[in-house]
Amino acid sequence: MNEAKASGSPGLAHTGRDVAGNAMAGAVAAIVLIANIVSFGALMFPAPLADGAATAIWAMLIGSAIVGVIVAWKTSLPPLTTGIDSPTGAVLVLVAAGAVPAVLSAGGTPQQAIAATLLLFAAASAISGALLLGLGIGRWGALLRFVPYFVVAGFMAATGWLLVAGALRMTRGHAGSDLLDAWTGAAAARLACALALFALLLALRRWVRWPYAVPATLVALTLLGTLVLRQLGLADPAQGWYLPSLGALKPWNPWPALQESPLSLPQALGFVPELMAVAVVALVSLVTKLSSLEVTRRAAADIDVELRAHGLGTLLAVPCGGIVCSMQLGTSRLLESTGGAGRLSGVACAVVLGAVGLLNLDLPALIPIPIAAGLVLQLGWVFLSEAFAKPLAQRDALNIVLALAIMAACVRWGYLAGVLGGVVCACLLFSANYARIGVVRLHLSRAQFAGSVSRSSRASAFLAEGGEAIQIYWLAGYIFFGSSEGVFERVRRDIRDLPAGRVRHVILDFGSVSAADASAPISLTKLRHHCAKSGVALLHSNTAPGLRRALEREGLFAGPDGRAPFPSATAALAWCEDALLAAAGIDCSADAVDLETWLHEQLGGAATAADLLAYLERRSFEGGAVLYRQGEPADAVDLVVAGRLAVDLAPDADPTHRVRSIATHAVVGEMGFFGRAARSATVSAEGPVTVMSLTRGHFERMRRERPDLAAAFYEFLLRTLADRIRVSERVERAVGR
């Protein structure tokens, strides 16, 4: 048993050290939070209403405690502390500034004005809690993640600067002092001591790996500072070397105040916009701070968990007299630097805040100002360095400038203005960059892209030689006011750069376009007018139903030069090819006489078309007739005499889709025939079709009787396959440019 105790004692000792370290870190963070809470209480209720400040401080302490315990225990980014949020607190100050005069002007007493203001605080807290909890339960957190890095960096830098400025003001003895005013000897001495502690904390952070080095140093220096101040006769609070006393706090219960109704219903309804603003500000601030903490801790937060924890904690705090509180970025980092680990340190901080409120403990009055100021200076330096470390390392001047601008906006006009301004800048940058990239993802001419129609060698040669007459643009992404004009400028420039009259058709394919705003039809209408003046036919394909209706309303498909959208770019390309061939007098529906001429050109040498036709069987089909189906044995190869065939593919059990069209004087079925494989696709007639079939039996007979003819036929098919491979390579090179 003694051995068991001996083996268990190190674990108990380790647990005890953990508890003590977390409790110490939580107490240090709580003192910093209390200083922030006191400053907000003074802003909410200035000197004539000092009783309200004492009550507001109590409400913020209780809210921080209740929300803090739940958030610290449930958070996905432990350790975490909560307190009055600066952006939210600023809006609450505005609510107080409007509520107090409204009650007093209506003949109410100062106590009624205080009660009315606190009731509005409670209503704002309830709305905020319901909003956060509802978003978290609905798992909408992913929709709130649009926070660019320069916004996060500006937010962090503003936090760091305000912490540094707050520490400097702390050494001057009062929060509202101007840093540029002359410094007294006592203030300079306090600042020197704070800077010395700041340098010591930086050294400990860099060179000492013991996790409790910082809290142990703070405790030791607090005790030493207290002894030195007593020896020097500076222990009296009036000397200004200790943090201000909290004074007598006044608990508050919202239920009696609600029954007394210090505000009339019209007066209360008049504050609804401000109450909603509190909720929105709380949401924006929480998401931004979570993004900042993710960057500093190199970890991912579950925003839904954070929303639910903050919402639930706030709703539980309201009936107890608490005010809406949120995670605190600075003190959450402070927990790490002072030895806090895991959730326990955050819970300890919340417990200390609650104890100070319920028991009226005057902890700040025990802390020398240089200790608190040095600690806050070190924390501010950490935020400033982490905000700019990454863009400086990457020499990203744009992010640095934007982060500095957002930092200045946060410091000058508040966090909400800075964050919203940053989001606006991000949207403008995104619009500019996306417009510069454009929505034209691929641009090829008919010379580079042969489409899915297999044509005769004469027609193919003509289309390849004059392929620049057909220009194809594949669009992708979202078409908005910036990118839609870019499409117009791109097509106009391409037409202008080619010789006049060279371009005859322009195809816009919308197959990868996700959506378009109202500016897209306007730019496309301009493009149509420009194409019409240049003698160019503008065609569309793959237009989604919504976009098609918008273009139809603009009359884009009406008129003599308007055409309805094609189902695919290849279908539009086939129409353009037919138009070019018809204009050139190349008949795509040649008869058997033309077939003999074509075969003679392809066979060459001693073999003649008449020799080959002796082994072929003529077959005719009406539109829609199936020549052979996918999966059937490939027992024949066909030469298209007249008409056009459709090649449809049905992968597994999916619906069929058109992959190719085969026109007059082309070959079909040769790969399955010579590979002795099953048909890879279904081939059917698009209209009246005539083919000449070479069955396997006739081919074997030709090999025995006319090996020279069989060899010539082999060469013909090899040239056909080689032509297809060259077309594929040409497309691949064009796409890869």
Side-chain angles (χ1 to χ4, degrees):
M1 181 174 293
N2 291 334
E3 292 179 0
K5 290 182 178 179
S7 62
S9 57
L12 292 175
H14 181 71
T15 302
R17 286 195 300 270
D18 283 348
V19 172
N22 285 314
M24 188 179 302
V28 171
I31 291 171
V32 176
L33 288 173
I34 290 171
N36 192 45
I37 288 173
V38 171
S39 64
F40 267 106
L43 289 173
M44 292 172 180
F45 296 98
L49 300 172
D51 290 344
T55 306
I57 291 171
W58 183 90
M60 286 184 277
L61 288 170
I62 297 303
S64 301
I66 296 175
V67 177
V69 169
I70 295 176
V71 170
W73 197 252
K74 292 292 187 180
T75 181
S76 57
L77 285 175
L80 222 60
T81 65
T82 61
I84 185 64
D85 179 49
S86 295
T88 310
V91 182
L92 289 177
V93 170
L94 296 178
V95 172
V100 170
V103 175
L104 294 178
S105 62
T109 65
Q111 290 302 321
Q112 288 176 327
I114 293 172
T117 303
L118 292 173
L119 273 179
L120 290 175
F121 288 176
S125 301
I127 295 172
S128 301
L131 175 64
L132 298 177
L133 183 60
L135 292 175
I137 293 176
R139 300 185 181 278
W140 286 15
L143 302 178
L144 307 173
R145 275 205 169 272
F146 178 63
V147 184
Y149 178 77
F150 58 81
V151 176
V152 172
F155 194 94
M156 292 167 56
T159 301
W161 171 255
L162 292 175
L163 287 171
V164 170
L168 296 178
R169 289 189 175 93
M170 195 182 299
T171 60
R172 293 182 65 90
H174 48 97
S177 60
D178 191 340
L179 297 179
L180 299 179
D181 291 344
W183 287 64
T184 64
R190 289 192 292 266
L191 177 60
C193 294
L195 291 174
L197 177 61
F198 166 61
L200 177 60
L201 292 176
L202 288 182
L204 292 174
R205 179 187 176 97
R206 181 170 183 178
W207 288 301
V208 179
R209 299 303 177 190
W210 185 41
Y212 303 112
V214 172
T217 301
L218 291 174
V219 171
L221 290 178
T222 299
L223 295 176
L224 179 62
T226 300
L227 291 176
V228 171
L229 290 175
R230 286 184 179 179
Q231 291 295 324
L232 297 176
L234 299 175
D236 191 326
Q239 299 290 333
W241 282 84
Y242 284 91
L243 291 174
S245 173
L246 285 178
L249 301 180
K250 294 185 178 181
W252 180 73
N253 188 342
W255 301 110
L258 184 61
Q259 294 173 356
E260 294 176 3
S261 300
L263 277 176
S264 65
L265 182 59
Q267 286 178 321
L269 293 177
F271 286 95
V272 169
E274 286 83 355
L275 303 185
M276 299 301 297
V278 172
V280 173
V281 169
L283 173 63
V284 173
S285 178
L286 175 60
V287 173
T288 307
K289 286 187 293 186
L290 284 171
S291 299
S292 302
L293 198 59
E294 285 179 320
V295 172
T296 58
R297 289 184 175 171
R298 297 179 176 87
D302 188 332
I303 295 187
D304 292 323
V305 170
E306 306 299 336
L307 290 172
R308 290 194 294 269
H310 281 77
L312 177 61
T314 302
L315 290 178
L316 292 177
V318 170
C320 301
I323 292 178
V324 57
C325 293
S326 180
M327 66 157 287
Q328 293 297 292
L329 195 58
T331 47
S332 295
R333 294 301 310 278
L334 184 60
L335 289 179
E336 299 176 73
S337 61
T338 54
R343 306 178 186 279
L344 187 57
S345 58
V347 174
C349 177
V351 170
V352 170
L353 292 172
V356 169
L358 294 175
L359 304 178
N360 202 14
L361 300 177
D362 202 358
L363 283 182
L366 304 177
I367 307 299
I369 282 179
I371 302 296
L375 184 62
V376 175
L377 275 175
Q378 185 261 347
L379 187 60
W381 170 256
V382 169
F383 274 102
L384 285 169
S385 59
E386 289 183 348
F388 295 107
K390 183 178 294 185
L392 283 173
Q394 297 175 349
R395 298 180 180 179
D396 190 345
L398 179 60
N399 265 314
I400 294 174
V401 171
L402 289 174
L404 287 172
I406 293 170
M407 168 188 169
C410 290
V411 172
R412 178 64 180 84
W413 294 292
Y415 280 105
L416 182 62
V419 171
L420 293 181
V423 172
V424 171
C425 289
C427 293
L428 294 177
L429 282 175
F430 173 79
S431 299
N433 291 331
Y434 195 88
R436 187 172 66 248
I437 295 172
V439 294
V440 178
R441 292 297 179 262
L442 184 62
H443 168 219
L444 300 174
S445 69
R446 173 56 180 82
Q448 300 161 320
F449 181 71
S452 61
V453 179
S454 297
R455 300 184 181 274
S456 66
S457 57
R458 182 187 176 194
S460 297
F462 172 81
L463 293 173
E465 183 179 353
E468 289 181 341
I470 305 174
Q471 301 288 326
I472 314 167
Y473 299 85
W474 284 268
L475 311 182
Y478 181 76
I479 302 179
F480 67 109
F481 59 90
S483 57
S484 62
E485 192 67 15
V487 174
F488 168 71
E489 294 294 341
R490 170 70 179 274
V491 176
R492 183 172 68 169
R493 183 181 68 248
D494 291 344
I495 295 175
R496 182 193 61 206
D497 291 345
L498 290 171
R502 179 70 60 85
V503 179
R504 307 304 302 167
H505 301 86
V506 168
I507 301 172
L508 300 181
D509 184 81
F510 296 83
S512 298
V513 172
S514 58
D517 67 4
S519 61
I522 298 175
S523 297
L524 293 177
T525 301
K526 286 171 54 180
L527 178 59
R528 178 190 173 182
H529 295 329
H530 177 75
C531 289
K533 290 180 180 179
S534 305
V536 177
L538 179 63
L539 293 85
H540 306 78
S541 63
N542 265 327
T543 54
L547 178 59
R548 178 168 180 166
R549 288 192 295 270
L551 298 180
E552 286 175 344
R553 285 195 297 269
E554 294 292 328
L556 202 62
F557 309 135
D561 59 337
R563 289 175 181 83
F566 290 84
S568 65
T570 54
L573 177 59
W575 185 92
C576 295
E577 291 176 346
D578 290 341
L580 288 179
L581 293 171
I586 300 177
D587 190 357
C588 297
S589 58
D591 54 18
V593 175
D594 292 323
L595 175 66
E596 292 185 13
T597 303
W598 171 61
L599 287 178
H600 183 74
E601 294 173 353
Q602 301 303 318
L603 294 175
T608 64
D611 295 335
L612 179 60
L613 288 173
Y615 294 93
L616 301 180
E617 177 184 347
R618 186 183 184 95
R619 297 192 297 166
S620 297
F621 301 90
E622 296 298 325
V626 176
L627 278 71
Y628 35 79
R629 299 183 183 279
Q630 182 176 337
E632 293 179 348
D635 54 3
V637 58
D638 295 295
L639 308 178
V640 183
V641 176
R644 182 176 293 181
L645 299 177
V647 181
D648 297 310
L649 186 65
D652 299 328
D654 295 339
T656 61
H657 64 276
R658 186 68 44 87
V659 296
R660 188 178 165 203
S661 291
I662 301 175
T664 301
H665 293 176
V667 184
V668 60
E670 72 283 358
M671 296 185 67
F673 180 80
F674 288 107
R676 296 183 181 274
R679 299 294 188 189
S680 60
T682 297
V683 178
S684 58
E686 290 187 356
V689 173
T690 300
V691 300
M692 302 296 289
S693 296
L694 177 64
T695 63
R696 193 172 300 280
H698 287 172
F699 178 70
E700 294 298 333
R701 182 166 64 87
M702 181 174 63
R703 291 178 62 187
R704 293 192 304 269
E705 298 174 354
R706 293 289 306 273
D708 60 326
L709 181 60
F713 188 67
Y714 266 131
E715 290 184 10
F716 160 52
L717 294 181
L718 286 175
R719 285 195 302 272
T720 301
L721 292 174
D723 289 341
R724 293 178 185 171
I725 293 173
R726 278 195 297 270
V727 170
S728 299
E729 290 177 344
R730 190 164 63 243
V731 172
E732 185 175 346
R733 286 195 302 270
V735 172
R737 282 204 308 256

